[in-house]
Amino acid sequence: MDRILFVDEDLAFMEATKRRLIKIFDIDIAQGGREGLNAVAGKGPYAVVVTDLHMNDMDGFEFVEKTKKI
């Protein structure tokens, strides 16, 4: 089963999305960029990573650049 990582600060949105897709994909959620980086480092690789562009700890572009180094 393909694994997806959702990275966002809106936990309610991620949980709702996860409930809709859980039968099709193995989904992990991370609340913010730093938690997302920890998920990629500890549980990766993921087939798809979906990230918000505007997060408090880092923006989505910075998150993607940092995941390339992991």
Side-chain angles (χ1 to χ4, degrees):
M1 184 178 296
D2 289 328
R3 295 179 51 211
I4 296 175
L5 174 64
F6 282 110
V7 182
D8 196 322
E9 292 176 335
D10 186 344
L11 188 58
F13 166 75
M14 290 188 295
E15 288 290 346
T17 304
K18 182 176 179 175
R19 283 192 301 273
R20 291 183 181 265
L21 298 175
I22 196 72
K23 292 180 182 177
I24 303 168
F25 301 103
D26 182 15
I27 299 173
D28 291 336
I29 59 175
Q31 199 168 11
R34 293 187 201 294
E35 192 173 312
L37 291 174
N38 288 336
V40 171
K43 298 179 183 179
Y46 289 93
V48 176
V49 175
V50 179
T51 183
D52 188 1
L53 291 179
H54 305 285
M55 297 180 282
N56 289 331
D57 57 353
M58 70 182 72
D59 66 36
F61 297 109
E62 181 182 0
F63 172 78
V64 169
E65 287 303 313
K66 288 184 176 189
T67 62
K68 290 178 182 179
K69 296 176 183 176
I70 297 176

